Amino acid sequence: MSLVRDMISISAVSAGAFFFLAGTVGLLRFPDTLTRLHALTKADNLGLGLVVLGLLPQAGQLRDALKLVSIWLLVLLAGATVSQLIARAARHGGSTR
């Protein structure tokens, strides 16, 4: 049973790392601020969710699992807030490049 749990954890964390890499590529390759921001926030949120999902079976206690989920939720909230502020500043500044 431990082997199955470890394989699920490895595959979820690896998929999360892939989405982090995809978000970074989108950040570097897309032409303007809003598309870069979209690619980065979507990929990073999904990547962190998959990393947390991969770490949950490895958490020893319920308290540790709740900490992981709360960190993920706080990062989701912070990412949405910051990306909204950046998009608004880019839109009001007139420069999206």
Side-chain angles (χ1 to χ4, degrees), residues 3-96:
L3 179 65
V4 173
R5 184 178 65 193
D6 290 343
M7 293 302 291
I8 290 172
S9 293
I10 289 170
S11 62
V13 171
S14 298
F18 171 76
F19 278 103
F20 276 127
L21 180 66
T24 303
V25 169
L27 176 68
L28 297 174
R29 301 226 1 143
F30 283 146
D32 63 342
T33 304
L34 299 179
T35 56
R36 288 178 185 164
L37 198 59
H38 178 75
L40 187 64
T41 55
K42 297 301 177 192
D44 282 351
N45 289 339
L46 183 59
L48 183 60
L50 286 170
V51 169
V52 167
L53 185 68
L55 292 177
L56 282 177
Q58 302 298 325
Q61 300 174 351
L62 180 62
R63 182 178 176 189
D64 297 335
L66 289 175
K67 284 181 186 179
L68 285 171
V69 171
S70 66
I71 288 170
W72 179 51
L73 292 175
L74 287 172
V75 169
L76 284 176
L77 180 65
T81 304
V82 169
S83 63
Q84 184 73 17
L85 292 172
I86 291 171
R88 186 175 295 162
R91 197 169 137 210
H92 287 321
S95 173
T96 58

